[in-house]
């Protein structure tokens, strides 16, 4: 007999010792290791078979207990296929044994029995391999359908975790997603066989984990001793209570979108399991990419809607803020032209009104052009040292403040500011004009500056006017945005002034914000860099900021 034909271990399950020993005698003579296992209830038979760890089980009919449940438990425990050969009398029904892989009818010729056993040995591995492939393809096909029907990230990642774990008969499964903005890998709820608080703990920075396993470079990871595996992050192993782990990258080309992991299977993970999980990860990569593309389309659609809203508001602003001054200019000009009896004082007043309205139109046109320059990164900053006291005195002096008074507070010997004087003067003009417009007549506007560490100055413009409702502070400094209360809307404004302030201040590497209380006024604060010490290299101005609005900003003007 060739070495390939020799079976290392056979187990004969019986309730008749004499029949079983007769069958065993011929198999032992052929070179097989044969053990007799008495037919008992499931726990007893299973434990006996597990101890033998047979390559083939021979079931001698009849049996008092169905063998199908016992064999399913045995195959799961051994994590390998074990075929069953049934031995029956002519009058016995093979179904009494449950599902079997081959059968032979007594009286049994020893040579025929040996041939049947050897045939199972020769054909069963290939048959088992084909069955595993069919099972894997069926599972992957089911996965593809489940992933395509997922209507939300929660549904998708829940399906990915559950389907992968069930395919590999593992009690735990989890999908992790890579976030390129924060360079973090994070567990995606819900996992399979994991509590929400466990999934929430699965988050780590990929840069901090370079000493561990790198899925982009090293690929898949198989670990049957997770708790002592130095390739894994100990905190995550503890958080998930892992004993074993199989993890593969979810790739789209060279890019790693995330990681698909299953763990804690009673049987050790093996190379074929890794291949099956890699196939599942490929299916998941398509679903994850489709989900991300869907999210990008949603975001793009929301941006288009926002652009459409801004366009409509811009058209409405142009229609109002350009038409009203033009009508006033035309009306006063017609009066001056057609009424020769107008006195010199009235004529001068009308002409001052015309000039003021013209200046407002020119300022609005200039603001609109300035925004296009900043957003197009075409605006140049000409930085120089600015003496803060004289700069603020000059900014206040340029404002016509018949309705309000200014209190200026600049400490003596205050260090110089580093910036573009003309552009920062426009920022101060916008802030001071706003303070006057939204404050009651006769109130005082406070302008002060203080040095802050490290090497920055904070300039404050405080009024005692309308203030800003808390629910509208989130729109501060966005384009065409205004505080929309009945009192605020009585004051004309384009929604561009504070937006321009933010762009210019950020272009200097600074920041601007507001502290406000409705009915008690607002304090706008801008933080800017001081001039560097003598001999130090002056910092370059920041790149022009993007037009996208930032959190915590709202425009009043």
């Amino acid at each position: 007999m060739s070495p390939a034909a020799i079976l290392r271990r056979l187990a004969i399950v019986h309730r008749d010792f004499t029949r079983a020993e007769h069958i065993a005698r011929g198999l032992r003579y052929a070179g097989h290791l044969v053990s007799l296992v008495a037919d008992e209830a499931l726990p007893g038979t299973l434990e006996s078979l597990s101890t033998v760890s047979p390559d083939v089980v021979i079931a001698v009919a009849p049996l008092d207990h169905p063998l199908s449940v016992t064999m399913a438990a045995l195959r799961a425990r051994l994590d390998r296929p074990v075929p069953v050969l049934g031995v029956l009398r002519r009058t016995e029904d093979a179904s009494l044994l449950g599902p079997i892989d081959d059968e032979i009818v007594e009286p049994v010729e020893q040579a025929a029995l040996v041939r049947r056993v050897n045939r199972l040995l020769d054909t069963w591995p290939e048959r088992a391999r084909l069955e595993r492939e069919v099972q894997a393809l069926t599972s992957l096909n089911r996965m593809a359908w489940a992933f395509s029907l997922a209507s939300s990230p929660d549904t998708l990642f829940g399906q990915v975790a559950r389907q992968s774990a069930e395919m590999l008969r593992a009690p735990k499964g989890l999908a992790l997603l890579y976030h390129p903005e924060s360079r973090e890998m994070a567990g995606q709820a819900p996992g399979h066989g994991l509590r929400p608080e466990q999934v929430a703990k699965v988050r780590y920075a990929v840069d901090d984990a370079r000493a561990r396993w790198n899925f982009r470079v090293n690929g898949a990871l198989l670990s049957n001793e997770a708790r002592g595996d130095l390739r894994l992050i100990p905190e995550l192993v503890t958080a998930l209570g892992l004993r074993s782990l199989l993890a593969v990258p979810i790739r789209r080309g060279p890019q790693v979108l995330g990681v698909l992991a299953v763990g804690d299977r009673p049987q050790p993970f093996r190379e074929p399991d890794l291949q099956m999980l890699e196939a599942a990860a490929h299916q998941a990569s398509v679903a994850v990419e489709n989900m991300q593309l869907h999210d990008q389309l949603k975001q793009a659609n929301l941006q288009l809607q926002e652009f459409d809203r801004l366009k409509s508001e811009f058209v409405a602003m142009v229609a109002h803020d350009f038409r009203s001054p033009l009508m006033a200019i035309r009306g006063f000009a017609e009066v001056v032209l057609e009424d020769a009896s107008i006195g010199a004082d009235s004529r001068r007043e009308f002409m001052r009104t015309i000039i003021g309205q013209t200046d407002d139109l020119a300022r609005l046109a200039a603001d609109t052009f300035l925004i296009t320059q900043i957003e197009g990164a075409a605006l140049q900053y000409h930085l120089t040292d600015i003496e803060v006291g004289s700069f603020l005195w000059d900014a206040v002096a340029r404002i016509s403040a018949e309705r309000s008074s200014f209190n200026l507070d600049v400490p003596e010997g205050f260090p110089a500011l580093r910036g573009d004087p003309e552009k920062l003067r426009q920022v101060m003009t916008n802030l001071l004009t706003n303070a006057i417009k939204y404050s009651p007549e006769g109130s005082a506007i406070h302008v002060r500056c203080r040095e802050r560490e490290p090497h920055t100055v904070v300039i404050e413009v405080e009024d005692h006017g309308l203030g800003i409702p808390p629910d509208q502070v989130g729109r501060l400094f966005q384009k065409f945005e205004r505080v929309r209360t009945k009192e605020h809307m009585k004051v004309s404004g384009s929604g561009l002034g504070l937006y321009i302030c933010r762009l210019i201040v950020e272009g200097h590497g600074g920041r601007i914000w507001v502290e406000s209380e409705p009915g008690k006024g607002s304090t706008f604060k801008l933080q800017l860099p001081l001039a560097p010490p003598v001999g130090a290299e002056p910092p370059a101005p920041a790149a022009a900021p993007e037009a996208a609005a930032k959190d915590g900003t709202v425009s009043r003007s």
Side-chain angles (χ1 to χ4, degrees):
M1 181 177 295
S2 66
I6 298 176
L7 289 176
R8 294 181 59 189
R9 292 179 296 275
L10 304 179
I12 300 178
V13 181
H14 67 93
R15 72 173 187 180
D16 185 334
F17 178 81
T18 301
R19 289 178 65 200
E21 181 60 30
H22 175 73
I23 294 171
R25 191 177 303 118
L27 294 172
R28 291 192 185 108
Y29 181 78
H32 299 297
L33 302 175
V34 184
S35 299
L36 303 184
V37 176
D39 177 29
E40 299 175 342
L42 173 61
T45 305
L46 177 60
E47 290 304 319
S48 299
L49 288 173
S50 299
T51 302
V52 174
S53 187
D55 297 295
V56 172
V57 170
I58 300 172
V60 181
L63 297 177
D64 292 331
H65 304 92
L67 195 60
S68 57
V69 177
T70 304
M71 289 305 303
L74 178 66
R75 288 161 179 159
R77 180 174 293 188
L78 299 180
D79 191 31
R80 60 180 173 84
V82 180
V84 177
L85 172 65
V87 179
L88 306 108
R89 293 191 177 99
R90 294 186 183 277
T91 58
E92 290 174 333
D93 185 357
S95 63
L96 297 175
L97 295 175
I100 58 177
D101 303 290
D102 197 2
E103 64 181 71
I104 189 168
V105 178
E106 291 182 317
V108 177
E109 293 183 3
Q110 295 298 333
L113 179 60
V114 170
R115 284 197 300 271
R116 293 293 182 91
V117 170
N118 290 341
R119 186 171 66 182
L120 279 177
L121 175 64
D122 293 338
T123 61
W124 183 258
E126 180 64 16
R127 175 181 170 184
R129 185 188 66 80
L130 292 174
E131 287 182 351
R132 283 196 302 269
E133 290 185 357
V134 170
Q135 179 187 8
L137 291 173
T138 302
S139 298
L140 292 173
N141 183 59
R142 185 168 60 249
M143 279 187 180
W145 276 103
F147 296 168
S148 67
L149 295 175
S151 58
S152 68
D154 286 352
T155 305
L156 172 61
F157 292 119
Q159 289 281 4
V160 168
R162 183 177 67 83
Q163 298 277 0
S164 301
E166 290 181 351
M167 180 179 68
L168 293 174
R169 306 185 308 282
K172 295 178 181 178
L174 182 64
L176 291 78
L177 197 62
Y178 175 64
H179 299 282
E181 301 83 6
S182 60
R183 294 187 61 78
E184 283 188 325
M185 196 75 73
Q188 303 299 301
H192 177 72
L194 298 169
R195 300 188 304 277
E197 58 269 24
Q198 288 180 294
V199 176
K201 293 179 181 178
V202 182
R203 178 179 292 272
Y204 64 92
V206 296
D207 294 331
D208 296 340
R210 285 180 176 173
R212 307 292 177 175
W213 190 259
N214 188 321
F215 287 99
R216 183 179 64 82
V217 176
N218 304 120
L221 171 67
L222 190 157
S223 176
N224 287 312
E225 297 292 338
R227 293 177 182 175
D229 197 327
L230 298 179
R231 299 172 297 176
L232 304 176
I233 300 174
E235 294 80 6
L236 297 185
V237 173
T238 301
L240 299 178
L242 292 177
R243 298 185 303 275
S244 62
L245 176 69
L246 187 61
V248 301
I250 301 174
R251 294 183 180 273
R252 200 60 180 163
Q255 181 184 6
V256 174
L257 304 178
V259 173
L260 179 57
V262 297
D264 282 3
R265 191 173 71 175
Q267 304 80 28
F269 289 113
R270 305 191 187 281
E271 192 68 23
D273 301 320
L274 187 148
Q275 295 171 0
M276 290 177 65
L277 192 61
E278 285 181 328
H282 177 72
Q283 295 281 0
S285 70
V286 177
V288 170
E289 186 179 43
N290 288 341
M291 181 196 70
Q292 292 177 337
L293 290 174
H294 179 68
D295 288 343
Q296 291 173 7
L297 287 174
K298 285 174 59 178
Q299 291 299 321
N301 186 53
L302 291 175
Q303 288 183 351
L304 288 175
Q305 293 178 14
E306 178 65 10
F307 291 154
D308 187 63
R309 183 186 70 82
L310 292 176
K311 181 196 70 175
S312 299
E313 291 196 1
F314 178 74
V315 171
M317 181 271 293
V318 170
H320 179 270
D321 287 10
F322 275 79
R323 182 175 180 178
S324 296
L326 286 172
M327 293 303 294
I329 291 170
R330 179 181 178 85
F332 283 110
E334 286 179 348
V335 172
V336 172
L337 179 65
E338 297 175 1
D339 191 348
S341 63
I342 296 178
D345 291 341
S346 296
R347 188 181 300 271
R348 281 193 296 272
E349 183 64 30
F350 288 170
M351 295 307 296
R352 279 196 292 268
T353 301
I354 290 173
I355 293 172
Q357 295 290 337
T358 304
D359 289 342
D360 289 343
L361 286 175
R363 187 161 44 251
L364 184 58
D367 285 349
T368 304
F369 178 67
L370 180 60
I371 288 174
T372 62
Q373 283 186 302
I374 298 175
E375 294 179 349
L379 188 67
Q380 299 295 319
Y381 292 90
H382 304 285
L383 301 185
T384 186
D385 293 352
I386 303 172
E387 201 284 310
V388 179
S390 59
F391 169 75
L392 293 179
W393 275 112
D394 179 66
V396 168
R398 291 170 177 257
I399 303 296
S400 175
E402 297 178 358
R403 298 175 62 249
S404 303
S405 60
F406 289 106
N407 292 327
L408 187 59
D409 179 7
V410 181
E412 292 187 8
F414 200 85
L417 169 67
R418 185 75 177 176
D420 186 317
E422 290 303 318
K423 295 176 179 61
L424 291 180
R425 186 173 290 114
Q426 181 166 4
V427 172
M428 292 304 303
T429 298
N430 287 348
L431 294 180
L432 295 171
T433 302
N434 278 359
I436 295 172
K437 288 196 302 182
Y438 292 96
S439 296
E441 187 172 354
S443 65
I445 310 299
H446 300 276
V447 181
R448 64 180 71 91
C449 67
R450 294 291 184 267
E451 187 173 0
R452 293 277 182 88
E453 293 295 339
H455 310 299
T456 60
V457 59
V458 173
I459 299 174
E460 301 179 355
V461 177
E462 179 186 11
D463 65 57
H464 300 283
L466 297 176
I468 302 172
D471 63 335
Q472 300 197 39
V473 170
R475 296 199 307 269
L476 211 88
F477 296 127
Q478 294 180 18
K479 190 179 351 182
F480 303 130
E481 288 289 355
R482 300 187 59 193
V483 177
R484 301 184 182 279
T485 69
K486 183 178 180 181
E487 292 77 11
H488 285 82
M489 296 305 292
K490 293 177 181 178
V491 181
S492 64
S494 63
L496 295 177
L498 289 179
Y499 177 67
I500 290 174
C501 289
R502 178 173 71 82
L503 298 183
I504 292 176
V505 169
E506 290 178 353
H508 280 76
R511 67 187 184 98
I512 185 169
W513 71 99
V514 66
E515 297 172 1
S516 184
E517 186 175 349
K520 296 185 178 181
S522 304
T523 302
F524 284 85
K525 302 182 180 184
L526 54 119
Q527 185 172 1
L528 295 165
L530 290 172
V534 176
E537 185 70 19
E546 297 179 358
K550 296 188 175 182
D551 291 340
T553 58
V554 127
S555 178
R556 285 201 316 178
S557 64

